[in-house]
Amino acid sequence: RFGSFSVGALAGGRAYRDAEGASLGDNLVGGADAQWLVTDSWRLKAQVMGSKTSALDDGAGSLRKGDAQRGASAYAGVFGKTERTETDLSILEISQGYRNDVGFVAQAGTRRFVAKQNLQWFELGPLNQFNAYLNTERTEERGSGVTVLQRWTPGVWMAGPRNSELVVEWTPA
């Protein structure tokens, strides 16, 4: 950590073997991330990862050793928080060949945009907290730009006495 700026690195790997101990290939992953607290209210985050995988699907649900495939993942986000608001804007780009067997990646070959805005009030009548929010997400194929998922979710979250909570969301079709 350097003042309000921090950096980190990740490296991992996984080797696959069959019942006799012969190699079925491996998955190597490495990357770096950074975070910058721009002000007390705004934070920037970024991450870049790369992978090299020689443990490939044989088409029948098993692994086989093959020519290594390479891929990459990149993430950038800005987060803001004040006494009454929370803002989250981010993008995640994952190439077709990216694979992270050390962690979890839901889908390769995609681009995902996320935007969230939350307005909050405290001690509002009988409620301890009341939040009104809008969460949006769009995921598309990187090559074609075809939409895989697009979602707009407005909602409210309320916290009341005795740890009671109520969430009401509308998810348009």
Side-chain angles (χ1 to χ4, degrees):
R1 184 168 170 95
F2 308 101
S4 63
F5 184 75
S6 60
V7 295
L10 168 76
R14 187 169 186 177
Y16 295 92
R17 304 220 175 269
D18 65 14
E20 289 78 41
S23 175
L24 296 175
D26 55 28
N27 173 244
L28 305 174
V29 181
D33 64 0
Q35 181 170 264
W36 180 30
L37 185 59
V38 180
T39 68
D40 287 342
S41 299
W42 289 98
R43 177 183 315 263
L44 298 174
K45 292 183 178 184
Q47 181 184 69
V48 178
M49 302 284 290
S51 73
K52 179 181 171 188
T53 305
S54 62
L56 306 173
D57 184 358
D58 69 357
S62 296
L63 293 177
R64 64 166 171 75
K65 187 171 186 173
D67 292 336
Q69 296 180 356
R70 296 177 185 271
S73 169
Y75 169 85
V78 59
F79 304 90
K81 183 172 179 142
T82 67
E83 189 174 300
R84 294 261 185 245
T85 64
E86 292 180 0
T87 303
D88 174 355
L89 302 170
S90 63
I91 182 171
L92 173 63
E93 184 104 11
I94 303 174
S95 74
Q96 189 63 40
Y98 183 73
R99 198 167 109 196
N100 182 358
D101 293 351
V102 179
F104 177 78
V105 175
Q107 195 169 21
T110 61
R111 178 179 297 121
R112 180 177 178 224
F113 301 95
V114 173
K116 299 178 181 180
Q117 183 62 55
N118 182 22
L119 303 173
Q120 52 194 6
W121 295 266
F122 300 93
E123 305 304 327
L124 190 62
L127 300 175
N128 297 328
Q129 188 174 345
F130 180 88
N131 292 10
Y133 58 85
L134 175 62
N135 295 336
T136 64
E137 177 182 351
R138 177 182 170 91
T139 303
E140 57 188 42
E141 289 182 5
R142 286 186 68 229
S144 66
V146 170
T147 300
V148 175
L149 171 73
Q150 184 162 300
R151 180 174 27 216
W152 295 74
T153 310
V156 294
W157 175 83
M158 295 166 266
R162 297 190 173 103
N163 287 331
S164 60
E165 294 183 23
L166 176 65
V167 176
V168 179
E169 290 185 342
W170 178 57
T171 305

